[in-house]
Amino acid sequence: MATTVVAEDTGQGKPRLGDRVFSRLALVAGIAILVALAAVFIFLAIEGVPGLAKPAEFYGEASSFWGYVAPLLFGTVLAAVIALVVAVPLSWGIALTVSHYAPKRVATPIAYVIDLLAAVPSVVFGLWGISVLAPRLSPVYQWLEEHAGWIPFFAGPASTTGRTILTAGIVLAIMIIPIITAISREVFSQTPRLHEEAALALGATRWEMLRLAVFPYARSGMVSAVMLGLGRALGETMAVAMVLSAGGGISFNLISSTNPASIASNIASNYKEGTPGKIQVLIATGLVLFLVTFLVNFAARWVVQRSERRLAR
Amino acid sequence: MSVTTAPTRSASRSVSFTAAKLPRFAPALVAAVSIAAAALPVLFLGWGLVAWAIVAGLLHLVALPLWARVVEGSRGATDRLVTGLVWAACVIAIVPLASLLWTVVDRGLPRISTTFLTYSMYRTDLDQEVGIYHALIGTLLITLFAAIISVPIGIMAAIYLIEYGKGNRLARWITFLVDVMTGIPSIVAGLFAFALFILIFGPSTRVGIGGSVALSLLMIPIVVRSTEEMLRLVPDELREASYALGVPKWRTIVKVVLPTALGGIVTGVTLAIARVVGETAPLLLIAGLTTRTNFNVFADRMTTLPVLIFTQNANPGIAETPGGMRPGLEIAWGGALVLIVIVMVLNLVARIIGRVFAPKTGH
Amino acid sequence: MNRTSFRKALAPSVAVLALSISLTACGAGNETSAGSDDSGSSETSGGLSGDLNGAGASSQEKAQGAWATGFQGMNDGNVTVNYDPVGSGDGRTNFIEGGVSFAGSDSYLNDDEGELSAAKERCNGEDPIEVPAYVSPIAVAFNLEGVDSLNLDADTIAQIFDNKITTWNDPAIADQNPDADLPDTAITPVHRSDDSGTTKNFTDYLGKASSSWSYEAEDAFPVKGGEAAEGTSGVVSAISGGDGTIGYADESQVGDLSVVKVLVGEEYVAPSAEGAALVVESSPAAEGRADVDMAVDIDRTTTESGAYPVVLLSYLIACQTYEDQNEADLVKGYLSYIVSDEGQQAASEEAGSAPLSSTVAEKAQSIVGAISAG
């Protein structure tokens, strides 16, 4: 996207009163967010930092905080990656169907159903995951273990209940599909009609039109959508806690019943009966999750900026 | 796309200015053939309906591009393949979503009744009927106040980022922190609100507004990010045209930029509401749990639907109801259905608002 | 004319607000008889009015619902009891900070992290009251095709949950079940993934009653690996979802699953309310406790006939005196109702808990009856 120069102030001389008030308001809102979010961060830091260096018995099996948090972090990232791998192509597919492929009669109900799903409470996703999805996937895992056991992901032994990290990832994927779809759909349909028609008029097929006119225009929004989805997948608490059979260490085995927990689900599971010292440890893990989302977002922004710069040239 | 590559073969045979295309009925024909062909292994190997659908779908996905490749060339084939993939993604995603909705409706619907919707859980005798009215009110009020807090702040902040900040240091910091906030686990937001209110109002504080604060922490990043995206998509030509007419910047934003992006902003806000309306952990901490209806978000405990669903599911009780479910589970599923319906209505209202206020454009 | 867009935007928001306000104007259909929260005291049979707030163990939640209902009924609906099922740890913290009037907890206060002293401080230097309120037998439930009754001793159960015995036809199991037709299915032990009093009581039983369990009694299940599930309902659905699964859960929640008969003394005992209450009654008091503190260390190695030592015991924690007269009356009245026959019976019907035995209930009654304002 080429950024054209916008007139910074339209009136000559001093800006009008309305302008001054409005821009102040916008600034205040921005600073309010800054303050609120910084407050959360500071709160986490104050409450969590003592949790970094507790006596060894606070960390269960592990002897240090890092030994305690590593499998949790791994579980968080693994579940989120599975969720993204599953959800992103599907979401973009749905978004394209709604914005460009399906006739309006079909597109509207599809969009509607997807939006509805954003509202299903995570508890219900969890319930559905245990009672409907996991039993269905269990035979698939047995099959995978038998026929694809040579791939480390499917080494087994396959879980008999189906409550594996792969199932948790799929549930997460279903939870983030509405988010990614809704935003991608909006940015796809915001593409200037003229660009699209110009591409078609040059003889482009529909797919070429999408590639030439829509995707470059929508790229930043698509990445934003994925990032929001990723944020939810990383921070999702109850559904993972309910679906996942947690309690293992770092392992790439996706279909066994021994899986690493995720940071958020671990907080939810262990917070209830926690003593003050234990809760500090849990909040410290929350801090780690914070840092991870920061790094991921940072990387994503960097990638987008680089590609935009290349495009601008 | 040079014009010379594609139409060579067909142009040599007959004088035509359009490239050869598959007939309009081609996708339907291929679909029919695929279904028929997939029926063979299904019949002989005894597979189920699901396998039949999968095999037929795959066949169709492969066969149509192949045919198109012969007739239309590789560009046409790619286009057909992508079309197939896009539709396939849609269908694949709809299956679990539909299954989930069906589960909720199937288990929740039998419980819905006037009593269920207008009674609270306050009882003075174990045989009395109960309902979810108190939780319904709690959810509506807490979410309403969360929206009142977060929507103006979120939209104004996004306006600052796009229209005023333009990548200065402060704007970069805000963007950065908003990004980090998207991944905050809801329970941490709850812990924060809890700590904040206890610090200010004393240890026995359980108020609905505390829940609203926690929820708005979760909503703000979504509102900011989606609004930011939509504002960024508003063409600069529109702004420049407005400035050229001598319209001040703030009125340009209010009258031109915001209405143009309204559809997307409304979607973003709805999404944000939908995201938080089902939150459990923060509300249990700060808003507490009560069996009575409370209309005042600024005093006393408030039950919300997700908290009710969560606690009822965790401790469903033992008495069997006529429906064969435990009483807690019935309430949980009924509550889940009601929650979805609420969001459906909100969604509908938001869309109507979006449509009414969207600028009238050519398409 | 300039303001049209604002007006246009204003109309629906006003409408939404008006709608929500009109909604808020009408109360719930079943609350009409009762005055609102601050309606002041009126002449009623129970004579009490106002709000009573508690927080704590989620295991008690359903029982608390039953007790609240009964207590509210006794006071003609002028009282509201609120119980936040935030978990024992948080409940204790809330109580200590003065956030709630009483707490429910799956384990008694101790001074490992200074909680007992802190609670004493909260109660104006007096020892906090701890009375047993909710007793629930923990069943070891299993799902194995073709087998619906199983006898096991503590050692065998411990080895199963420690992943030492891995198939159902292991001699250790077969010896105790000569009549059962045991398949060679692999055993999938299911444990709680969240911290819970149930896990603590179960591991406490394994540690004390068997010789092969080397872990401490903890809220978190100590053995790595194996199937883990969130909450009692999660464990139950995991057990019923697999084949060859075995796990532990509140007896009232296991539903149709088969339960293990546990070796106590010379005989195999199925979980029962009576057996659980019997164990609580015969268990020794925890050391160094005040008179008002009924904390007990459950006797897991009891050999008494009919006793079932795998039980969860949940306490109510309160102060002896409260500054506010009304608060003191409410706590006294509510806790007295809970430990009364009537209250215990209501909980047993709603939540499937085991009613306290009469000796325990009487002692508890005399302790909570002395709560006063001061």
Side-chain angles (χ1 to χ4, degrees):
Chain A
M1 249 181 295
T3 43
T4 51
V5 182
V6 178
E8 273 308 315
D9 51 341
T10 49
Q12 299 298 320
K14 67 173 184 183
R16 273 165 274 202
L17 180 70
D19 259 348
R20 278 216 306 269
V21 172
F22 195 76
S23 70
R24 272 309 126 70
L25 274 180
L27 183 64
V28 166
I31 290 175
I33 290 184
L34 210 60
V35 170
L37 308 194
V40 175
F41 191 80
I42 291 167
F43 159 77
L44 274 182
I46 290 176
E47 295 280 310
V49 166
L52 295 177
K54 287 269 170 192
E57 71 255 25
F58 279 95
Y59 303 119
E61 294 270 288
S63 55
S64 74
F65 177 74
W66 303 112
Y68 177 76
V69 83
L72 297 176
L73 189 57
F74 176 81
T76 309
V77 173
L78 183 59
V81 166
I82 295 173
L84 280 191
V85 167
V86 176
V88 169
L90 292 182
S91 310
W92 285 347
I94 304 173
L96 282 178
T97 310
V98 172
S99 69
H100 284 86
Y101 279 89
K104 201 158 184 170
R105 263 178 309 120
V106 183
T108 316
I110 293 181
Y112 200 69
V113 169
I114 303 282
D115 279 356
L116 272 193
L117 280 149
V120 178
S122 33
V123 180
V124 174
F125 273 106
L127 281 177
W128 176 81
I130 317 179
S131 62
V132 179
L133 184 66
R136 299 263 146 80
L137 286 177
S138 173
V140 178
Y141 294 154
Q142 317 274 357
W143 186 88
L144 278 175
E145 185 198 355
E146 267 173 46
H147 296 91
W150 47 274
I151 307 173
F153 291 141
F154 306 125
S159 159
T160 53
T161 54
R163 296 167 56 253
T164 70
I165 195 145
L166 188 54
T167 311
I170 292 174
V171 171
L172 279 181
I174 297 169
M175 297 180 79
I176 63 176
I177 280 176
I179 295 185
I180 303 182
T181 304
I183 297 177
S184 309
R185 186 187 75 212
E186 282 305 328
V187 292
F188 286 153
S189 57
Q190 289 282 338
T191 314
R193 202 45 178 266
L194 281 177
H195 293 198
E196 293 176 10
E197 279 164 5
L200 290 175
L202 288 172
T205 60
R206 188 145 50 168
W207 166 238
E208 286 158 350
M209 179 270 283
L210 290 174
R211 254 184 28 205
L212 291 171
V214 177
F215 289 160
Y217 189 78
R219 176 164 308 154
S220 147
M222 287 158 77
V223 173
S224 248
V226 172
M227 294 284 68
L228 270 183
L230 178 63
R232 171 116 204 230
L234 287 173
E236 174 50 44
T237 317
M238 281 323 295
V240 179
M242 288 169 83
V243 171
L244 188 63
S245 160
I250 295 176
S251 148
F252 278 105
N253 190 342
L254 301 182
I255 58 167
S256 83
S257 56
T258 308
N259 305 286
S262 82
I263 289 181
S265 75
N266 185 58
I267 295 179
S269 297
N270 298 334
Y271 173 76
K272 291 183 293 189
E273 304 295 315
T275 54
K278 188 87 189 165
I279 286 174
Q280 285 178 336
V281 175
L282 292 178
I283 292 184
T285 63
L287 202 58
V288 172
L289 180 59
F290 237 52
L291 292 177
V292 172
T293 28
F294 155 60
L295 285 178
V296 168
N297 273 302
F298 194 74
R301 288 261 153 187
W302 185 71
V303 169
V304 175
Q305 268 172 14
R306 229 180 49 156
S307 73
E308 271 174 7
R309 220 173 291 144
R310 201 185 308 139
L311 225 81
R313 239 175 250 156
Chain B
M1 267 140 294
S2 52
V3 198
T4 46
T5 47
T8 42
R9 193 149 30 117
S10 56
S12 63
R13 283 189 201 143
S14 62
V15 183
S16 163
F17 292 104
T18 56
K21 284 203 80 145
L22 289 182
R24 285 185 65 90
F25 57 82
L29 180 67
V30 173
V33 172
S34 305
I35 291 171
L40 285 177
V42 171
L43 284 180
F44 286 116
L45 300 174
W47 292 351
L49 268 179
V50 180
W52 187 3
I54 292 174
V55 173
L58 284 178
L59 270 180
H60 182 261
L61 209 54
V62 175
L64 192 60
L66 281 181
W67 188 13
R69 186 172 172 84
V70 174
V71 181
E72 297 177 348
S74 67
R75 287 175 53 213
T78 315
D79 188 46
R80 300 266 177 196
L81 180 67
V82 172
T83 308
L85 285 176
V86 164
W87 277 103
C90 202
V91 171
I92 291 173
I94 294 283
V95 169
L97 300 181
S99 152
L100 183 87
L101 281 184
W102 169 249
T103 311
V104 176
V105 171
D106 183 44
R107 299 189 185 176
L109 203 56
R111 190 68 174 84
I112 306 289
S113 66
T114 333
T115 315
F116 188 65
L117 293 177
T118 56
Y119 275 31
S120 69
M121 299 259 301
Y122 188 84
R123 294 186 292 182
T124 49
D125 193 317
L126 284 177
D127 298 330
Q128 285 168 358
E129 295 249 24
V130 294
I132 56 164
Y133 183 74
H134 60 309
L136 208 60
I137 295 296
T139 289
L140 285 179
L141 289 178
I142 287 183
T143 315
L144 179 72
F145 276 86
I148 288 176
I149 298 172
S150 55
V151 170
I153 292 186
I155 291 182
M156 286 309 278
I159 288 175
Y160 177 77
L161 293 179
I162 296 297
E163 306 291 336
Y164 292 101
K166 284 277 175 200
N168 68 19
R169 187 180 290 264
L170 179 65
R172 279 209 307 273
W173 266 101
I174 295 173
T175 315
F176 163 74
L177 267 183
V178 166
D179 283 351
V180 177
M181 286 307 280
T182 56
I184 186 174
S186 54
I187 192 164
V188 170
L191 281 175
F192 169 72
F194 186 60
L196 185 75
F197 274 74
I198 281 195
L199 196 69
I200 301 175
F201 300 108
S204 58
T205 312
R206 298 284 187 289
V207 285
I209 193 77
S212 302
V213 169
L215 292 189
S216 59
L217 280 176
L218 301 172
M219 276 180 84
I220 285 176
I222 303 182
V223 176
V224 174
R225 269 210 107 151
S226 53
T227 309
E228 199 188 335
E229 258 348 296
M230 296 311 144
L231 292 183
R232 194 171 283 158
L233 290 179
V234 175
D236 277 336
E237 289 84 347
L238 281 181
R239 297 188 180 94
E240 282 155 14
S242 175
Y243 295 149
L245 292 171
V247 181
K249 185 165 185 174
W250 75 278
R251 291 192 46 81
T252 305
I253 293 170
V254 172
K255 301 282 285 185
V256 177
V257 179
L258 282 183
T260 312
L262 194 66
I265 294 175
V266 167
T267 305
V269 171
T270 322
L271 255 187
I273 290 178
R275 161 84 172 81
V276 301
V277 83
E279 272 309 334
T280 314
L283 294 177
L284 181 58
L285 281 178
I286 181 66
L289 189 64
T290 176
T291 51
R292 266 184 185 273
T293 320
N294 176 10
F295 295 116
N296 185 357
V297 283
F298 297 102
D300 296 332
R301 289 141 195 273
M302 258 185 159
T303 307
T304 55
L305 271 178
V307 172
L308 189 72
I309 294 170
F310 176 71
T311 54
Q312 290 297 323
N313 173 57
N315 290 291
I318 55 164
E320 290 258 331
T321 58
M325 258 200 272
R326 297 188 171 177
L329 290 182
E330 275 202 344
I331 295 174
W333 285 107
L337 180 60
V338 172
L339 193 57
I340 292 178
V341 171
I342 291 179
V343 174
M344 190 162 81
V345 172
L346 280 180
N347 215 322
L348 204 67
V349 170
R351 273 170 188 246
I352 292 170
I353 294 178
R355 191 161 303 164
V356 170
F357 292 105
K360 308 285 176 283
T361 57
H363 59 278
Chain C
M1 184 195 147
N2 286 342
R3 303 190 181 275
T4 42
S5 75
F6 280 120
R7 283 215 196 106
K8 270 204 269 178
L10 215 60
S13 18
V14 168
V16 168
L17 269 175
L19 184 73
S20 48
I21 288 166
S22 65
L23 252 178
T24 53
C26 48
N30 56 338
E31 286 177 36
T32 43
S33 69
S36 68
D37 300 287
D38 305 312
S39 64
S41 56
S42 54
E43 301 291 319
T44 54
S45 57
L48 296 173
S49 65
D51 278 18
L52 175 62
N53 296 325
S58 50
S59 59
Q60 291 188 22
E61 201 229 339
K62 209 69 195 175
Q64 288 279 355
W67 293 327
T69 302
F71 187 58
Q72 285 158 182
M74 280 166 59
N75 294 290
D76 287 345
N78 289 317
V79 172
T80 306
V81 179
N82 299 313
Y83 182 79
D84 299 339
V86 286
S88 305
D90 231 21
R92 292 195 300 266
T93 311
N94 276 338
F95 174 75
I96 288 166
E97 287 169 351
V100 289
S101 306
F102 71 93
S105 173
D106 286 346
S107 46
Y108 55 73
L109 290 166
N110 63 40
D111 249 340
D112 288 354
E113 284 192 45
E115 284 187 317
L116 184 56
S117 321
K120 200 167 171 177
E121 204 172 303
R122 183 249 194 264
C123 291
N124 304 317
E126 290 173 322
D127 290 301
I129 289 176
E130 284 187 282
V131 291
Y134 178 86
V135 180
S136 171
I138 300 171
V140 181
F142 64 96
N143 185 11
L144 181 62
E145 214 176 297
V147 181
D148 39 50
S149 124
L150 211 54
N151 295 334
L152 295 174
D153 59 14
D155 266 336
T156 317
I157 298 176
Q159 287 176 49
I160 289 174
F161 279 94
D162 202 8
N163 302 325
K164 297 268 164 53
I165 296 178
T166 54
T167 54
W168 281 105
N169 59 359
D170 192 282
I173 303 175
D175 286 352
Q176 298 178 60
N177 299 281
D179 303 335
D181 183 19
L182 295 164
D184 61 352
T185 316
I187 300 180
T188 308
V190 183
H191 60 83
R192 289 280 287 267
S193 62
D194 52 333
D195 284 8
S196 71
T198 310
T199 302
K200 188 168 186 173
N201 279 285
F202 182 64
T203 50
D204 187 46
Y205 163 74
L206 293 182
K208 290 191 176 134
S210 82
S211 53
S212 39
W213 186 260
S214 54
Y215 308 94
E216 298 261 324
E218 271 188 277
D219 286 331
F221 194 74
V223 184
K224 281 280 164 195
E227 181 92 10
E230 167 89 11
T232 302
S233 48
V235 169
V236 171
S237 60
I239 298 173
S240 38
D243 185 28
T245 45
I246 182 168
Y248 56 93
D250 285 10
E251 196 254 344
S252 60
Q253 301 299 323
V254 296
D256 302 334
L257 290 170
S258 318
V259 296
V260 171
K261 285 182 182 153
V262 177
L263 184 67
V264 181
E266 296 294 309
E267 54 186 329
Y268 290 95
V269 184
S272 72
E274 298 76 31
L278 196 59
V279 165
V280 173
E281 188 186 340
S282 59
S283 295
E287 276 176 32
R289 295 282 158 160
D291 289 342
V292 294
D293 195 333
M294 289 181 69
V296 295
D297 288 317
I298 293 169
D299 183 9
R300 307 290 185 189
T301 50
T302 181
T303 51
E304 212 167 311
S305 168
Y308 183 79
V310 198
V311 296
L312 165 79
L313 174 55
S314 200
Y315 297 90
L316 291 172
I317 302 174
C319 290
Q320 295 183 51
T321 56
Y322 291 86
E323 278 170 18
D324 183 62
Q325 179 71 47
N326 197 38
E327 187 182 7
D329 288 345
L330 281 170
V331 174
K332 178 179 164 183
Y334 186 54
L335 265 54
S336 303
Y337 173 71
I338 289 178
V339 296
S340 71
D341 276 356
E342 208 183 323
Q344 288 294 312
Q345 206 55 49
S348 143
E349 277 163 30
E350 275 290 284
S353 63
L356 295 170
S357 66
S358 54
T359 36
V360 175
E362 272 166 32
K363 186 171 180 210
Q365 193 64 262
S366 69
I367 291 174
V368 297
I371 293 175
S372 62

